[in-house]
C-alpha cells in the first residue's frame, strides 16, 4: 500500500478529532450570549410616541420600531424622565463614586448640569438618583445621600429649583436601609416616594408612601408584605402601576386606581416574571416594562395592553426586543411629542 | 533477468502482504476511537487539570472520619467564601461567608444555614476566636472541624471560593438575575479588586429592584457590609439570594460546560468533592425548587453582640441554635 491512503486517513482522523472538540463546545450553556446595541435592531412592533431607555450607560430613543443612539454606551447615563412640556429630559450621569443630574434636550445633548456631587474622596462624594419634575416643571425631585455620617449613607428625597438652584430636603429616611427613593410630585406639597424600612419580621421591605408637605405626615399606599416600589402613574393620574415582589425573588406587575389619597386593591397584570420599570403609553392604553427573556436573563422591552377587553381576550405581554441588555434599575421615559 | 524481476516482486509482496478486510476494519475503528478520544481529551483537559489541582482536596482529619455518603443519600456541604485579595497571604485568608447546606436528593429538600462570621466559638486550632479565623489558621480542615464541633453536625464535604472566582463564575454564566431588596449603599467598600491599593476604599450603590448583575456588581451586593441595619445578617441574606440566583443559572449546565467552569475556577476554588461526586451532584441542583429552599439565619435571639478581646463579636445562644440547626442537619 502506498503512503497516500495513510495520509488521507490520518488527516480524516485529525479532522474528526477537531469535529468532536468543536461539537462538544457547541453543547456549552455557559457561553454568555452577545449583547447587541439597540440601534442595530428593530423592535418587533412599532410603539406609540417616543420612548427613552438606557443600556450599559448609553441613551437610546425608540420611535416606531427604530432605536436611535443619543449617547453612546459607557457614558453612565441612566434614569431619564421627560419634562412636563416635553422639551427636555432630566437624567442621571453616573460615575464610579458619584452621580449627577443633568438636563438634556430631546436629542440627548446636555443643556445643563444640575447637581455637582463629585467630591475629593469617598466621604465628600455623593449620589443623586431618580430625578422627576415637579408638576409645573420649575423644579426637580431626586434621591440624594445627604446627610451622611461615618458608615451611614441613606437616600433622602430632595428638591432643586431649576431657576434659583436652591435645594430643599423633604424626608427623613430610616437609617441604614438605603433610605427613600423615586420621588413623584402629585400636586403642590404632595409627594409620593418609596420607603425602605426594617419590618418586625427582620426583613427590609419597600412601601409606597404619600407625604403631605416637607417632613410632613405620610401614609402608606401599600402594605410592607407586598414589598412594592417603582410606582408609575397613568397620564390622567387615575391609575398607578407598581412592581411588587412580596419579599421574594420574583417580581409582579400590578395596577390599582388612585383617588388622590388611596389605592384600590392591587390587580395583578403580570405574575412570575422579573418585571421592572413600568411606564404608561401616552394614551394610557398600554404599559411597557422591562423583564428578562431568553437564556441570557438580560432585560428586554415588553408591552402589555391594559384595556380590560384586550386582557380578557388572547392578548399577552409582547416581547418587543431580544439580545439587548436594558438597565432595569433605570426607567422608561415615554411620551407623545 | 526476467526471472530475477519476478522474484524481487514476490519478495516485496511477501514483506508487505495485502491487509485483510477485517484488519482494515479493526485499524479504522481504532483510529476513529483514537480521534474521538483525542478530541474529547483536548476538550476536557482543563477539567482534568482542575480535578487534579482543586478537587478531592479532602482535609485529612475529615476524610478519615467521614466516608462519602452513598449516591442518592442526603449530604451536607460547607460553603466557604474568602476575601483572598492582596491583604492576605495566599491560603491564609478569613472566611467572610460560611454557609452550611443540607441536600436531600430524595425529597428535593434543601436547607441553607448562614453562619455569622463574627460568631465567637472555640476553634479546632485550640483557642476561642471569631469563627472566620478557623480557615486562616488551619485551612478547610479547621473550618469544617470547628463548625462540626460547635454546631454538632456531620459535614461531608466543603467547597471554597475566592472573590475573583465568584466574579468569574457569574460572568461566565452571563450574569445573574436578582431582586435586590433595598438600595445597598457603602462608602467604605474595599477597592482591592478594582484598584491597586488593597487598603483603599470605593463607593458602592447597588440600587433596589429586579436587575441583571454581572460578577463585579453581584460581588458588591453580597460583600458590602457597612450600611445594613441588619449588619452581617443582612449580608448573609444577600449571599443566599445570589447563591440561589447562581443555581438558577447553572440549572441548564451539562458535562460540556465543565471545561469552561474549570478554567473559571483556576486557583479560585477548592473542594473535597471528587470529580465523580460533582458529576453526581450537578443533576440534583437542577431538580430542586429555589422557592422551596429553607433559609436559616441566626439573628438575635440566636446570637447577641459582645465585645471580647477588643473585638466586636457575636455570642451564640446554643440552647436556641442547636434545636434549630438539628431540625435540618444531623
Amino acid at each position: 500500500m502506498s503512503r497516500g491512503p495513510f495520509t488521507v486517513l490520518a488527516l480524516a482522523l485529525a479532522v474528526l478529532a477537531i469535529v468532536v472538540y468543536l461539537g462538544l463546545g457547541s453543547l456549552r450553556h455557559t457561553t454568555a450570549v452577545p449583547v447587541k446595541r439597540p440601534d442595530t435592531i428593530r423592535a418587533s412592533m412599532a410603539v406609540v410616541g417616543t420612548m427613552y431607555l438606557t443600556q450599559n450607560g448609553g441613551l437610546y430613543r425608540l420611535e416606531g420600531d427604530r432605536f436611535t443612539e443619543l449617547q453612546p454606551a459607557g457614558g453612565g447615563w441612566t434614569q431619564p424622565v421627560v419634562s412636563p412640556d416635553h422639551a427636555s429630559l432630566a437624567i442621571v450621569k453616573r460615575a464610579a463614586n458619584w452621580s449627577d443630574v443633568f438636563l438634556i434636550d430631546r436629542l440627548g445633548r446636555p443643556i445643563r448640569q444640575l447637581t455637582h456631587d463629585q467630591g475629593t474622596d469617598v466621604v465628600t462624594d455623593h449620589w443623586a438618583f431618580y430625578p422627576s419634575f415637579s408638576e409645573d416643571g420649575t423644579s426637580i425631585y431626586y434621591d440624594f445621600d445627604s446627610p451622611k455620617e461615618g458608615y451611614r449613607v441613606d437616600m433622602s428625597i430632595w428638591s432643586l429649583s431649576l431657576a434659583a438652584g436652591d435645594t430643599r430636603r423633604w424626608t427623613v429616611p430610616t437609617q441604614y436601609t438605603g433610605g427613600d427613593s423615586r420621588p413623584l410630585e402629585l400636586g403642590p406639597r404632595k409627594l409620593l416616594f418609596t420607603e425602605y424600612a426594617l419590618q418586625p419580621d427582620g426583613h427590609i421591605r419597600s412601601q409606597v408612601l404619600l407625604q403631605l408637605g416637607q417632613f410632613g405626615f405620610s401614609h402608606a399606599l401599600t402594605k410592607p408584605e407586598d414589598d412594592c416600589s417603582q410606582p408609575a402613574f397613568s397620564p390622567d393620574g387615575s391609575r398607578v402601576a407598581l412592581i411588587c415582589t412580596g419579599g421574594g425573588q420574583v417580581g409582579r406587575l400590578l395596577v390599582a386606581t388612585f383617588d388622590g389619597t388611596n389605592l384600590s386593591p392591587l390587580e395583578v397584570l403580570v405574575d412570575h416574571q422579573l418585571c421592572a420599570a413600568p411606564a404608561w403609553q401616552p394614551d394610557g392604553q398600554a404599559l411597557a416594562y422591562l423583564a428578562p427573556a431568553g437564556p441570557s436573563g438580560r432585560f428586554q422591552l415588553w408591552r402589555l395592553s391594559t384595556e380590560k377587553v384586550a386582557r380578557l381576550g388572547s392578548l399577552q405581554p409582547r416581547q418587543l426586543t431580544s439580545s439587548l441588555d436594558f438597565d432595569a434599575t433605570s426607567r422608561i421615559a415615554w411620551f407623545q411629542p | 533477468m526476467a526471472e530475477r524481476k519476478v522474484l524481487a516482486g514476490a519478495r516485496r509482496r511477501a514483506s508487505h502482504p495485502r491487509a485483510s478486510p477485517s484488519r482494515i476494519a479493526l485499524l479504522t475503528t481504532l483510529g476513529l476511537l483514537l480521534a474521538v478520544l483525542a478530541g474529547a481529551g483536548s476538550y476536557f483537559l482543563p477539567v482534568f487539570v482542575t480535578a487534579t489541582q482543586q478537587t478531592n482536596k479532602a482535609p485529612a482529619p475529615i476524610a478519615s472520619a467521614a466516608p462519602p455518603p452513598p449516591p442518592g443519600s442526603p449530604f451536607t456541604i460547607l460553603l466557604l467564601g474568602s476575601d483572598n485579595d492582596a491583604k492576605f497571604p495566599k491560603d491564609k485568608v478569613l472566611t467572610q461567608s460560611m454557609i452550611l447546606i443540607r441536600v436531600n436528593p430524595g425529597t428535593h429538600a434543601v436547607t441553607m444555614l448562614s453562619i455569622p462570621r463574627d460568631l465567637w466559638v472555640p476553634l479546632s486550632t485550640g483557642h476561642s476566636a471569631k469563627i472566620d479565623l478557623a480557615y486562616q489558621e488551619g485551612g478547610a480542615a479547621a473550618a469544617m472541624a470547628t463548625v462540626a464541633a460547635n454546631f454538632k453536625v456531620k459535614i461531608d464535604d466543603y467547597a471554597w471560593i475566592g472573590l475573583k472566582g465568584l466574579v468569574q463564575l457569574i460572568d461566565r454564566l452571563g450574569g445573574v438575575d436578582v431582586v435586590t431588596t433595598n438600595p445597598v449603599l457603602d462608602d467604605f467598600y474595599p477597592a482591592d479588586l478594582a484598584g491597586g491599593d488593597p487598603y483603599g476604599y470605593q463607593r458602592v450603590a447597588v440600587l433596589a429592584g429586579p436587575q441583571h448583575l454581572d460578577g463585579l456588581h453581584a460581588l458588591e451586593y453580597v460583600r458590602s457590609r457597612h450600611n445594613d441595619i441588619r449588619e452581617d445578617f443582612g449580608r448573609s441574606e444577600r449571599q443566599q439570594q445570589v447563591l440561589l440566583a447562581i443555581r438558577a443559572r447553572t440549572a441548564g449546565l451539562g458535562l460540556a460546560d465543565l471545561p469552561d467552569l474549570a478554567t473559571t475556577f483556576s486557583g479560585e476554588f477548592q473542594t473535597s468533592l471528587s470529580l465523580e461526586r460533582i458529576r453526581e451532584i450537578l443533576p440534583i441542583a437542577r431538580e430542586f425548587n429555589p422557592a422551596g429552599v429553607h433559609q436559616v439565619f441566626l439573628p438575635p435571639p440566636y446570637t447577641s453582640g459582645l465585645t471580647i478581646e477588643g473585638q466586636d463579636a457575636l455570642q451564640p445562644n446554643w440552647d436556641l441554635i442547636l434545636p434549630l440547626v438539628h431540625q435540618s442537619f444531623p
Side-chain angles (χ1 to χ4, degrees), chain A residues 122-123 147-153 176, chain B residues 186-188 226-227:
Chain A
V122 294
V123 176
K148 59 175 185 169
E149 184 181 9
Y151 289 144
R152 182 174 61 76
V153 47
Y176 297 103
Chain B
D186 192 341
D187 276 7
F188 297 94
H226 290 120
N227 190 54

Side-chain angles (χ1 to χ4, degrees), chain B residues 50-176:
Chain B
T50 302
T52 310
Q53 295 173 349
Q54 292 169 242
T55 67
N56 226 357
K57 297 285 182 187
I62 301 298
S64 57
S73 62
F75 59 91
T76 301
I77 294 179
L78 180 62
L79 286 189
L80 304 166
S82 286
D83 280 2
N84 58 332
D85 54 53
K87 288 196 287 291
F88 300 97
K90 192 171 162 45
D91 294 333
K92 292 292 176 192
V93 292
L94 303 171
T95 46
Q96 297 291 318
S97 177
M98 300 179 96
I99 302 176
L100 201 59
I101 302 184
R102 180 73 175 167
V103 180
N104 187 333
T107 61
H108 297 168
V110 175
T111 302
M112 300 200 303
L113 165 69
S114 285
I115 299 171
R117 65 175 195 142
D118 290 341
L119 206 63
W120 193 266
V121 295
L123 304 184
S124 67
T125 49
H127 65 110
S128 287
K130 290 183 185 180
I131 199 165
D132 65 355
L133 194 66
Y135 187 87
Q136 188 182 64
E137 292 192 341
M144 288 174 77
T146 299
V147 172
N150 285 283
F151 286 82
K152 304 193 189 317
V153 294
K154 175 182 171 293
I155 302 170
D156 298 302
D157 286 290
Y158 82 93
W160 173 92
I161 189 165
L163 294 180
K164 287 178 191 158
L166 183 67
V167 171
Q168 288 162 7
L169 170 66
I170 291 172
D171 283 341
R172 181 68 77 171
L173 295 171
V176 288

Side-chain angles (χ1 to χ4, degrees), chain A residues 1 9 13-14 16-17 20-21 24-25 27-32 79 94 96-98 122-123 125-127 129-130 145 148 150-155 174-179 182 196 198 202-204 227 230 243 245 248-251 274-276 292 295-299 325 328-329, chain B residues 16 19 24 27-28 31-40 42-44 171-175 177-188 201-212 217 220-221 225-230 237 241 245 249 252-254 256-257 260-261 297:
Chain A
M1 196 184 276
L9 185 63
L13 293 179
L16 177 64
V20 168
Y21 184 94
L24 284 166
L27 298 175
R28 287 178 304 172
H29 298 84
T30 50
T31 308
Q79 302 162 6
R94 184 172 174 167
N97 287 330
W98 68 91
V122 294
V123 176
D125 289 332
H126 285 282
W127 299 116
F129 291 121
Y130 297 109
D145 62 349
K148 59 175 185 169
Y151 289 144
R152 182 174 61 76
V153 47
D154 294 301
M155 296 290 183
T174 306
Q175 295 188 351
Y176 297 103
T177 63
R182 296 180 185 255
Y196 293 89
L198 186 68
H203 294 286
I204 294 176
D227 207 12
Q230 307 186 22
I243 301 299
T245 66
Q249 288 292 303
V250 177
L274 220 53
C275 310
S296 75
R298 297 177 190 278
F299 281 71
D325 183 19
T329 63
Chain B
H16 297 286
I24 290 172
L27 285 173
T28 306
L32 289 173
L33 199 62
L34 205 62
V36 169
L37 284 175
S42 308
Y43 185 80
F44 286 107
D171 283 341
R172 181 68 77 171
L173 295 171
D177 293 333
V178 176
V179 179
T180 54
T181 50
N182 57 299
V184 173
L185 309 173
D186 192 341
D187 276 7
F188 297 94
Y201 295 116
Q202 68 178 80
R203 303 189 79 210
V204 158
V206 181
L207 300 178
Q211 58 194 288
H212 189 79
H217 290 97
E220 289 176 356
Y221 183 61
R225 67 189 181 89
H226 290 120
N227 190 54
D228 196 317
I229 196 168
R230 296 165 300 165
E237 191 175 297
Q241 279 176 10
R249 298 290 294 159
L253 299 189
D257 296 301
D260 269 356
L261 295 179
F297 304 94

